[in-house]
Amino acid sequence: MRLSELLSKAPANAEAQVERFLNARLPWGKHKTIEVGKVAINFKCKTCDDVRTFMSGDKLSCLGVGDRVVSIDACLKCPVCKATVEAWFLVVSRDELDGQAPIVRLERYVDNRRGMASRVEVGAGTGTGDFDDLLERAQLAYEVQLGTGAMVYLRKIFEAITKQVADIAGIPTTGKKDGRKPFRNLLQEVDEQHHIIPTAFSGDGYKLFNELSEIVHGDSTEEIALQKYHPCRSLVIGIIQNVASDQEMKRAIDALGWSINQLNVPSSGAMAP
C-alpha cells in the first residue's frame, strides 16, 4: 500500500504497512517533498452541490516532527469546479519512518474547507437530512478531543427531534401548570407511539440521553465524554433514521407541509432533563 491510500481513509485513524516514502531520517523541523501517490477524499462540494472526490497533486509536503512522527500537508481539489480544501495529517510509525516498509498510523487529521465543502462520512447517505451540520460539528469536536462539546451537539439533536415528533403526533410537551414536561416522560410517550429508539438501544434510550446530560451539566471528564461519544452518536443517528422511515410520520409531515430536513433544532438545550 502506498502512503496516499492510508491518508485517503481520513478521518479514520487507520494503520497499515506502506511502501517506503523516506530515504533517510527526516530531522525535526525539516521539510521534504514526497511522492506517495495522490490523496483522494470525498467531500460534498458546495459549488457543485454534489459529492466529489477531491484529490491532491502528485507531491506532498512532509515535515519532521519526531523520530517516528511526521506532519504531511496537502491541498485537495474538486475535479469539476476546482474548489480547494487544505488537509493536514499527523502520521506515526511503529518503528523507523525511513524503513523499507514502515507500519504507520494516521494519528490525527484536520481539514480547512473554508465553506467550500462539507464532510460526507458523518451523515451522507444515512438519512439525517439537515442534522448533518450538527452531526459534523459533533464529529469535529470529537476529533480535536473536545468530548463535552461533541456531546452538546448530540444532546441538541436528541431533544429537538423527540420534541418535534411529539408535536407532529399531538403528544403534549407541557406538564402540570403548563410547565415543561420532563424529557424522560416525553421520550417514553413518543417512543411508545412511534418507536423512535433503535432496536439496538431498546430500553436504554433515556439512559443514554442521561449520559449526555451528565456529561454536559455534570462533573464528567473529557476522557469519559470521548469514550461515550460513539454509542451516543449511533443512538442519535438511529433515531433520525427511524423518524425518517416511519410511514405514519411521513404522512403527517407531508400533511403539515414539513420535511425531515426542516425539523427545528434549538440553539441551546431547551428541555428539562
Side-chain angles (χ1 to χ4, degrees), residues 11-14 69 89-92 105-109 143:
N13 298 117
V69 186
F89 311 86
L90 191 66
V91 175
V92 179
R105 174 170 53 89
L106 179 57
E107 178 75 14
R108 190 174 175 192
Y109 162 75
E143 289 176 10

Side-chain angles (χ1 to χ4, degrees), residues 158 187 191 195-199 201-206 235 239 242:
F158 199 156
L187 177 61
D191 193 47
H195 308 293
I196 67 171
I197 301 298
T199 303
F201 297 96
S202 180
D204 290 326
Y206 186 79
L235 170 65
I239 290 173
N242 281 356

Side-chain angles (χ1 to χ4, degrees), residues 47-61:
T47 301
C48 298
D49 193 27
D50 204 352
V51 175
R52 304 292 189 197
T53 300
F54 283 57
M55 299 191 71
S56 73
D58 294 316
K59 298 180 180 180
L60 305 179
S61 176

Side-chain angles (χ1 to χ4, degrees), residues 118-158:
S118 59
R119 295 271 191 97
V120 297
E121 89 290 341
V122 174
T126 62
T128 57
D130 283 352
F131 288 116
D132 280 356
D133 180 61
L134 286 177
L135 285 169
E136 180 174 343
R137 289 170 187 244
Q139 181 67 20
L140 293 176
Y142 170 78
E143 289 176 10
V144 295
Q145 304 295 290
L146 297 176
T148 301
M151 292 299 204
V152 168
Y153 288 115
L154 295 182
R155 188 177 189 269
K156 282 184 180 181
I157 299 172
F158 199 156

Side-chain angles (χ1 to χ4, degrees), residues 5-261:
E5 295 177 59
L6 178 74
L7 301 183
S8 297
K9 298 179 185 297
N13 298 117
E15 182 180 69
Q17 186 172 42
V18 299
E19 295 177 6
R20 187 175 192 175
F21 61 95
L22 290 174
N23 294 323
R25 179 177 174 274
L26 187 61
W28 177 87
K30 296 297 183 180
H31 283 275
K32 180 178 178 61
T33 299
I34 58 175
E35 296 187 49
V36 294
K38 294 184 177 182
V39 178
I41 300 177
N42 289 335
F43 291 98
K44 175 70 177 294
C45 178
K46 294 189 176 181
T47 301
C48 298
D49 193 27
D50 204 352
V51 175
R52 304 292 189 197
T53 300
F54 283 57
M55 299 191 71
S56 73
D58 294 316
K59 298 180 180 180
L60 305 179
S61 176
C62 184
L63 171 69
V65 178
D67 290 340
R68 297 186 298 110
V69 186
V70 290
S71 170
I72 298 174
D73 294 323
C75 183
L76 312 179
K77 184 180 293 186
C78 172
V80 178
C81 72
K82 308 306 179 184
T84 59
V85 168
E86 291 81 40
W88 171 74
F89 311 86
L90 191 66
V91 175
V92 179
S93 175
R94 285 190 188 180
D95 300 304
E96 296 300 322
L97 274 164
D98 57 346
Q100 190 65 37
I103 297 176
V104 298
R105 174 170 53 89
L106 179 57
E107 178 75 14
R108 190 174 175 192
Y109 162 75
V110 176
D111 55 44
N112 178 19
R113 285 164 277 125
R114 297 177 292 104
M116 302 298 294
S118 59
R119 295 271 191 97
V120 297
E121 89 290 341
V122 174
T126 62
T128 57
D130 283 352
F131 288 116
D132 280 356
D133 180 61
L134 286 177
L135 285 169
E136 180 174 343
R137 289 170 187 244
Q139 181 67 20
L140 293 176
Y142 170 78
E143 289 176 10
V144 295
Q145 304 295 290
L146 297 176
T148 301
M151 292 299 204
V152 168
Y153 288 115
L154 295 182
R155 188 177 189 269
K156 282 184 180 181
I157 299 172
F158 199 156
E159 289 180 336
I161 197 164
T162 301
K163 184 178 182 297
Q164 203 77 25
V165 171
D167 289 340
I168 295 171
I171 299 172
T173 58
T174 56
K176 297 178 181 179
K177 299 180 181 180
D178 292 326
R180 290 181 301 181
K181 182 178 292 185
F183 187 77
R184 178 194 294 272
N185 298 348
L186 182 64
L187 177 61
Q188 182 177 349
E189 292 179 46
V190 168
D191 193 47
E192 285 177 352
Q193 289 194 30
H194 292 284
H195 308 293
I196 67 171
I197 301 298
T199 303
F201 297 96
S202 180
D204 290 326
Y206 186 79
K207 181 178 179 182
L208 279 172
F209 176 80
N210 198 46
E211 297 277 9
L212 291 170
S213 298
E214 287 184 1
I215 290 168
V216 172
H217 299 300
D219 297 323
S220 180
T221 65
E222 287 293 318
E223 183 179 0
I224 292 175
L226 293 169
Q227 290 174 357
K228 294 181 176 180
Y229 170 74
H230 284 295
C232 288
R233 177 177 177 275
S234 295
L235 170 65
V236 168
I237 290 178
I239 290 173
I240 299 171
Q241 291 174 328
N242 281 356
V243 173
S245 63
D246 185 313
Q247 294 302 314
E248 185 177 347
M249 278 288 100
K250 280 185 176 180
R251 287 193 291 271
I253 289 170
D254 290 342
L256 291 169
W258 297 356
S259 125
I260 189 66
N261 290 344

